[in-house]
Amino acid sequence: MTVVLRRVNRIVLALVGLLLVVGGGAVLAAGLGLSVPSWWPWSGPDDVLLTRSQRQHWRAESWWWPTVIAVLGLVVLLALWWLIAQFRRARLAEVLVDSGDGEEAVLRGRALEAVLEADAAAQEGVARARVSLTGRRTAPRTRVALLLEPYAAPADALTTLAAEALGNARTSAGLPALPTEARLRAVKHRARRVN
C-alpha cells in the first residue's frame, strides 16, 4: 500500500510541477511579448488575468467572498498536509513470514516492534528503547533508538542488540536480513560529588 501511495504521490507531484512550469513559462513568454498559442488568454504584457467587469461581477453577492476565502483556506490546508506527509516516514503495518509449509503468514508490525522494544530494553545498561519498522513487507528495516544508562558501553549495547534482540527477531520471522539503523543517547544525569 505504501508503495502505491509513494507512486501516486510522485505522479501527482510531477503533474503539478509540469503544470506550474508550463503555465509559468507561457505567462512569462506573454509578458515578454513572445509569441504564444492563439488559445492562450494573455497575448501581451498589458493583458490582465481578469477584466474589470469580470472582477466586479460577483462583488455584490454576499456569498462570494466567504466562498473564495473558504476555498483558498482549504487549498492552503491541503498543501500543508501534503507537505507534512512528505517528511513523515511510513511505519510498516505487517511483515510476511515464511511459515515453512509453502504458505506465508502475516505478522503485525506493531507486535514485532513491541517485542523488539522489550528485548532491547531488557539489555544491561539500556534505560529505554524505541523501535519502528519501515521498508517493505518482504524486506523490513528497523530503526532503533536506545537510551543508555551512564555506565553503559555503547559498543556492548550494539553488540548485544544485534546478537540478541535483532537476531531473535530475524530468526523468528524467517528473514534473511534485518537492516537496522541504531541511534544511541545517554541518560542525562548529575555529576556525583566525591568527598
Side-chain angles (χ1 to χ4, degrees):
M1 185 69 173
T2 56
V3 174
V4 173
L5 289 176
R6 259 190 239 135
R7 286 184 184 150
V8 168
N9 187 36
R10 288 179 183 150
I11 290 169
V12 170
L13 279 174
L15 290 175
V16 168
L18 182 65
L19 181 69
L20 289 172
V21 166
V22 168
V27 169
L28 182 63
L32 294 173
L34 302 174
S35 64
V36 292
S38 60
W39 53 266
W40 189 250
W42 307 287
S43 58
D46 296 328
D47 284 345
V48 292
L49 179 63
L50 297 172
T51 64
R52 185 179 189 91
S53 64
Q54 288 173 328
R55 286 193 316 260
Q56 294 180 351
H57 180 72
W58 299 105
R59 198 172 187 179
E61 301 293 330
S62 61
W63 58 268
W64 174 248
W65 288 114
T67 303
V68 168
I69 291 170
V71 168
L72 291 176
L74 183 62
V75 167
V76 167
L77 288 175
L78 285 173
L80 285 174
W81 171 77
W82 195 9
L83 177 68
I84 290 169
Q86 304 310 308
F87 297 107
R88 190 180 62 192
R89 291 183 178 176
R91 292 177 91 163
L92 193 59
E94 55 190 31
V95 176
L96 290 180
V97 178
D98 183 13
S99 58
D101 58 359
E103 296 293 323
E104 291 178 336
V106 176
L107 174 63
R108 284 186 26 236
R110 300 273 182 188
L112 185 55
E113 287 175 353
V115 169
L116 276 169
E117 281 181 10
D119 284 354
Q123 290 178 209
E124 177 66 28
V126 175
R128 189 173 63 230
R130 291 217 179 252
V131 177
S132 61
L133 286 174
T134 59
R136 297 186 318 265
R137 292 170 29 153
T138 55
R141 303 175 66 84
T142 59
R143 285 194 321 260
V144 179
L146 296 180
L147 187 62
L148 301 178
E149 297 288 353
Y151 61 85
D156 294 343
L158 280 177
T159 303
T160 307
L161 175 72
E164 293 179 11
L166 294 172
N168 292 341
R170 189 174 50 251
T171 303
S172 63
L175 299 169
L178 186 58
T180 301
E181 173 188 326
R183 294 178 185 240
L184 307 177
R185 283 185 336 165
V187 173
K188 293 182 180 177
H189 66 285
R190 292 179 161 221
R192 292 183 183 170
R193 284 190 173 187
V194 178
N195 293 329

